[in-house]
Amino acid sequence: MRYFEYSQTLMGTKVSLQLIEKNDLAAKIIFGSIKMLEDKLTVNREISEVMSINKAAGKHPVGVSPFVFTLIEQAKAISIAKNSCFNVAIGALVKLWKIGFQNGNVPADEQIQYCLLLTNPHLIRLDKQKYTVFLEKTGMEIDLGAIAKGYIADAIKKLLLAQQVNTAIINLGGNVLTVGDSPLSADGYWKIGLQKPFAKSSQPIVVIKIKNKSVVTSGIYERFFIEANQHYHHILDPKTGYPLDNELQSVSVISHSSMQGDIYSTHLYGLGIEKSISYLQETPSLAALFVTKDKKIIVVNIDSSLIQLINKEYVITNHSFG
Ligand code: AMP
Ligand code: MG
C-alpha cells in the first residue's frame, strides 16, 4: 500500500497532503484554498485582511470576511480568559523580536515594555452585525500565528470530505490531522511520530496512535535564534514580553479540532508542566504530551496503549484522569 503525496511550501512551512488514491483535482482545490486562506490571514506580507486591521489600528474599524471575523472572535475569547498564555493581540511584540526571520534580535527592554502596552486583547473591538474589527490603540497588531494553521487544517478536512475523499493525512509543518481510518493498520489507527527536539533529520522519539484526530505541537525548536549563548524562541510570554521560559521543549495536543489543538498547544506550553497537569485534570476531553528539557515525556489523558516510546534516552510517565 502506498500513499500519493502532494506537497507545497506555504505559510512558511512544508504542507503535505497524503491520499490513498491519486486525486490531482482534490489536491489542486486543497492547495488553492490554503493559499486563499493564507492570503487573508498572514501578517508576514504587506497586504492581507489581518494587515488591513493592523494598519487601521487606532483609526477605524475594518470589514473582514466572516471566517476571519469568527477566527479573531474565538482567538480573542481565549486571549482574555484568566491566566491565558495565548494572546492574539501579541503582534507588536512578535514584529519587534522577529524570531524565525533572518534579522531576529534581542530588542531593548524599553522597546519590549512599550510594545507590551499594545497587546491588551480587551482592546480588540468586534462588531458582529457589520463583521468589522477595530484595534483601539495605534500600533496594536493581531497575530494569528498560533491558531491559523489549526483552523486551516480543519478547513481542509471539511473540503476533503465534501469531495468524498474520506481517507487522508494532512501535515502543516507540525500540525497533523487525520481523516478516516488508516488503511495501513487493522485497527484503523494512524501512527504519528513526534520528532526529537532540535534534531536535523527525522528522528521520532515517540509514536502516538490516533483516529479522526489532530496532533498539534508547539515547540521551542521550531523558530528561534541564539544570541550571546542564550536561546530565544518564538512563543512569547504575554505578561513579560520575553520568550516563555520553563522546563518544556514541546507540547503536543491531541484533539478533535486542530484549531483547538493549536490554541492549547501554545497555551499549555506557556502554563508549564505543573499547571498544565492541573488544567488537564479538569479538562479530560483534552489530551497532551509534554517533552521536557531533561528528556522526560509526560503523557496526560492518553491511554498508554496508544503511546510507543521509540527513543530510549527518554523516560515516559503517564497521568490519566479521565
Ligand atoms: P505556535 O507554534 O502555535 O505555538 O504559535 C507560535 C506563533 O504564534 C509565533 O510564531 C507568533 O507568531 C505567535 N505567538 C507567539 N507568542 C504567542 C502567544 N503567547 N500567544 C499567541 N500567539 C503567539
Ligand atoms: Mg498554536
Side-chain angles (χ1 to χ4, degrees), residues 43-44 79 84-91 94-95 99-101 143-150 173 175 216-219 222-223 233-239 242 244 261-263 265-267 269-270:
V43 288
N44 296 325
S79 302
S84 184
C85 299
F86 179 104
N87 182 0
V88 68
I90 204 148
V94 174
K95 289 266 166 84
I99 295 173
F101 296 88
D143 182 316
L144 295 169
I147 182 173
K149 279 200 239 160
N175 277 46
V216 180
T217 301
S218 278
E222 289 171 331
R223 291 174 175 209
H233 65 85
H234 70 146
I235 309 172
L236 303 175
D237 184 340
K239 290 200 180 78
Y242 285 80
L244 279 152
D262 206 353
I263 292 172
S265 64
T266 308
H267 174 59
Y269 179 82

Side-chain angles (χ1 to χ4, degrees), residues 219-237:
I220 61 170
Y221 50 88
E222 289 171 331
R223 291 174 175 209
F224 66 93
F225 66 76
I226 291 173
E227 195 175 298
N229 285 326
Q230 278 275 351
H231 174 265
Y232 297 91
H233 65 85
H234 70 146
I235 309 172
L236 303 175
D237 184 340

Side-chain angles (χ1 to χ4, degrees), residues 77-85 122 239 267 271 279:
I78 178 92
S79 302
I80 62 181
K82 199 163 166 254
N83 295 327
S84 184
C85 299
H122 289 277
K239 290 200 180 78
H267 174 59
L271 282 187
Y279 185 86

Side-chain angles (χ1 to χ4, degrees), residues 55-271:
K55 285 180 182 167
K59 297 189 192 117
H60 56 83
V62 172
V64 293
S65 307
F67 90 87
V68 176
F69 184 90
T70 309
L71 192 53
I72 294 173
E73 190 178 38
Q74 286 172 308
K76 178 184 169 181
I78 178 92
S79 302
I80 62 181
K82 199 163 166 254
N83 295 327
S84 184
C85 299
F86 179 104
N87 182 0
V88 68
I90 204 148
L93 277 166
V94 174
K95 289 266 166 84
L96 178 68
W97 279 91
K98 303 184 204 75
I99 295 173
F101 296 88
Q102 263 168 1
N103 46 356
N105 67 323
V106 182
D109 188 57
E110 304 84 77
Q111 285 178 300
I112 292 174
Q113 300 313 320
Y114 175 75
C115 284
L116 265 177
L117 302 173
L118 302 171
T119 60
N120 181 352
H122 289 277
L123 301 184
I124 303 173
R125 209 191 298 161
L126 299 166
D127 184 331
K128 216 177 170 114
Q129 258 73 50
K130 297 188 188 142
Y131 284 116
T132 59
V133 184
F134 177 44
L135 306 180
E136 292 185 17
K137 236 177 173 173
T138 307
M140 275 184 78
E141 294 196 38
I142 281 177
D143 182 316
L144 295 169
I147 182 173
K149 279 200 239 160
Y151 172 83
I152 292 174
D154 290 333
I156 299 174
K157 180 173 175 175
K158 282 194 202 125
L159 277 172
L160 286 169
L161 294 174
Q163 291 169 86
Q164 275 82 49
V165 178
N166 299 317
T167 311
I169 182 159
I170 305 145
N171 190 338
L172 309 175
N175 277 46
V176 179
L177 182 65
T178 62
V179 183
D181 281 8
S182 168
L184 292 184
S185 64
D187 56 10
Y189 277 100
W190 301 84
K191 290 183 173 177
I192 311 297
L194 298 185
Q195 297 304 317
K196 183 171 178 174
F198 298 106
K200 297 229 158 52
S201 56
S202 164
Q203 288 181 45
I205 53 171
V206 65
V207 168
I208 312 181
K209 293 204 314 186
I210 57 167
K211 211 192 280 193
N212 264 321
K213 288 216 164 135
S214 136
V215 182
V216 180
T217 301
S218 278
I220 61 170
Y221 50 88
E222 289 171 331
R223 291 174 175 209
F224 66 93
F225 66 76
I226 291 173
E227 195 175 298
N229 285 326
Q230 278 275 351
H231 174 265
Y232 297 91
H233 65 85
H234 70 146
I235 309 172
L236 303 175
D237 184 340
K239 290 200 180 78
T240 66
Y242 285 80
L244 279 152
D245 188 20
N246 61 32
E247 66 284 75
L248 292 171
Q249 257 174 347
S250 69
V251 179
S252 301
V253 173
I254 294 93
S255 54
H256 195 70
S257 139
S258 193
M259 189 182 85
Q260 291 298 322
D262 206 353
I263 292 172
Y264 283 102
S265 64
T266 308
H267 174 59
L268 295 180
Y269 179 82
L271 282 187

